[in-house]
Amino acid sequence: MKTEEHVYDLLPAYALNSLDEEEKIIVEAHLVDCKTCQLDLESYKHVVDDLPLAIKTKQPPADLETSIFEQLGADRQSPELQDRESWLDRLKSNFLSSAPVWGAASLVLVIVLLFSNLYLLNSLRAHEAIRQTDLTTVAMDPTDYSPQATGMLVISGDGEYGVLVVDQLPILDDTQQYQLWLIYDGQRASGGVFSVNHEGYGSLLITAEQPLSSYPAFGITIEPTGGSPGPTGEKVLGGEL
Amino acid sequence: MDFSKFDDQTLMKLIAQAQEDALRELYDRYNRLVYSMAVNAVGENTLAEEITQDVFLRIWNKAETYSPKKGKVITWVSSITRYRAIDAIRSQQVRPEGHSVAWDIEGSLDNPDPLNVEERVETTQRQQRVRHAVAQLPEEQRQALAYAYFQGYTHREIAEVLGEPLGTIKTRIRLAMQKLREYLEEEDIAKA
């Protein structure tokens, strides 16, 4: 790779997560197969990890500890989290098992929710293709590594475009991202890398050389930031067409 | 059981097994760090307390997702705190530009894992090096770095808040990070 193609100047801000979206996409695309920049990024991430050590610390109020431990209760989860059913679970059950009328309503809901996250979708053509054709959905099943995780993959009728939405995946630190794998005949092609927010929610506009409908199976693994040529980490979700 | 004798990673395993006293010990070690990061991010105490509470409840509920492969516990806790605080800023539309981040460039040192001697020495040395490195930066670079790290602002947002050209902010952040990396790597080599 030529030196001028590297993204050295953007890496410090990428490590801080302070790039604007367009620059972030450029960096992530470059990182996929540039070991030099991956290493450079790692060194900046160490700097970011150390920054909290440089702040002046002070004691929180004494009653804060009491308040926290009162909320733990006997259960593993706080009441807030106990009551929290994954929106994706609700969406899946509504979408996949409803009567036709409600199914249509759910479909609208799916599209609204998906497109609210599609800032990556810079192609109106892709947008129209997904909206106007029959959608295929693939429910992604969790593994033992992340039994609470849920996911859904939605593929446009012509198989050209797809969107992945996940929820309740484990939160990763800055050195790791999730990577979608498109599986065919034992071979795995990358469908893109993505991160999740503090609730484990994330989405990905999928790009692939072949129509997505030609891949009978999909998987998501934990990989180093920027992705790997093939799966190396824990599998967290999987599904079949 | 005396939980204070356990290192951070052992505490995380015990928390994953619902050992409440293990979380209490982890709280003793990191409550100052979490709370102070939150205060620096949102600029006010009440919201910082909510964030601190949420971070420790999250540690309680998600301890099984922590793996030593992800790095030290302090890094994991800091990362959760940082993103929880940034999320609070964005969801509550807090605009904390009115306060300045309290970088401690000459103050006393904390010992997050006080009973693990090796960890304590390493952390204390690291803390000294990081604080010294930050102290070397020009004030305007420290300021831009603080907005990016604690408030989660993008280049564009920082430029808007500070009323500076976008290119100036990009340069400040890049130079700050390059200098910190250079300084810390030099220190690591000297230490080795």
Side-chain angles (χ1 to χ4, degrees), chain B residues 71-107:
Chain B
K72 293 179 178 177
V73 173
I74 185 175
T75 305
W76 189 68
V77 171
S78 299
S79 181
I80 292 174
T81 306
R82 182 185 176 213
Y83 285 104
R84 175 65 186 84
I86 290 171
D87 186 57
I89 289 170
R90 295 197 178 279
S91 63
Q92 300 201 16
Q93 298 183 322
V94 177
R95 298 286 288 182
E97 61 264 30
H99 81 286
S100 58
V101 166
W103 295 110
D104 193 351
I105 52 183
E106 50 192 31

Side-chain angles (χ1 to χ4, degrees), chain B residues 27-82:
Chain B
Y27 181 86
D28 286 346
R29 294 179 190 180
Y30 293 120
N31 69 78
R32 290 176 63 97
L33 176 71
V34 171
Y35 178 66
S36 304
M37 285 182 70
V39 170
N40 274 308
V42 300
E44 57 111 344
N45 295 346
T46 305
L47 184 53
E49 287 171 33
E50 285 179 27
I51 291 167
T52 303
Q53 182 167 296
D54 195 50
V55 167
F56 281 99
L57 290 175
R58 197 169 297 275
I59 291 169
W60 175 249
N61 284 309
K62 302 285 185 183
E64 74 279 3
T65 66
Y66 169 76
S67 161
K69 291 178 191 169
K70 295 179 178 179
K72 293 179 178 177
V73 173
I74 185 175
T75 305
W76 189 68
V77 171
S78 299
S79 181
I80 292 174
T81 306
R82 182 185 176 213

Side-chain angles (χ1 to χ4, degrees), chain B residues 127-146:
Chain B
Q127 204 165 25
Q128 283 176 318
R129 290 200 296 276
V130 175
R131 288 179 177 184
H132 191 252
V134 170
Q136 307 302 306
L137 300 177
E139 173 56 30
E140 65 270 17
Q141 289 180 17
R142 273 205 298 269
Q143 185 186 39
L145 189 64

Side-chain angles (χ1 to χ4, degrees), chain A residues 57-78:
Chain A
T57 61
K58 64 177 184 178
Q59 195 75 36
D63 59 357
L64 183 60
E65 181 177 2
T66 308
S67 172
I68 290 170
F69 282 87
E70 279 176 356
Q71 288 192 51
L72 297 185
D75 203 299
R76 286 291 307 147
Q77 295 200 322
S78 67

Side-chain angles (χ1 to χ4, degrees), chain A residues 16 18 23 40 43-44 50 52-61 67 71 76-77 81 173 198, chain B residues 15 18 31-32 36 49 53 58 60-61 70 82 87 102 104 110 126 131 149-150 154-155 170 181:
Chain A
L16 281 163
S18 62
E23 290 175 320
D40 210 42
S43 65
Y44 284 119
D50 280 341
L53 295 175
I55 61 168
K56 189 191 294 284
T57 61
K58 64 177 184 178
Q59 195 75 36
S67 172
Q71 288 192 51
R76 286 291 307 147
Q77 295 200 322
L81 290 172
D173 64 21
H198 68 279
Chain B
I15 294 168
N31 69 78
R32 290 176 63 97
S36 304
E49 287 171 33
Q53 182 167 296
R58 197 169 297 275
W60 175 249
N61 284 309
K70 295 179 178 179
R82 182 185 176 213
D87 186 57
D104 193 351
D110 299 316
R126 192 73 184 166
R131 288 179 177 184
Y149 181 79
F150 291 104
T154 63
H155 283 148
K170 287 183 175 181
R181 179 176 72 165

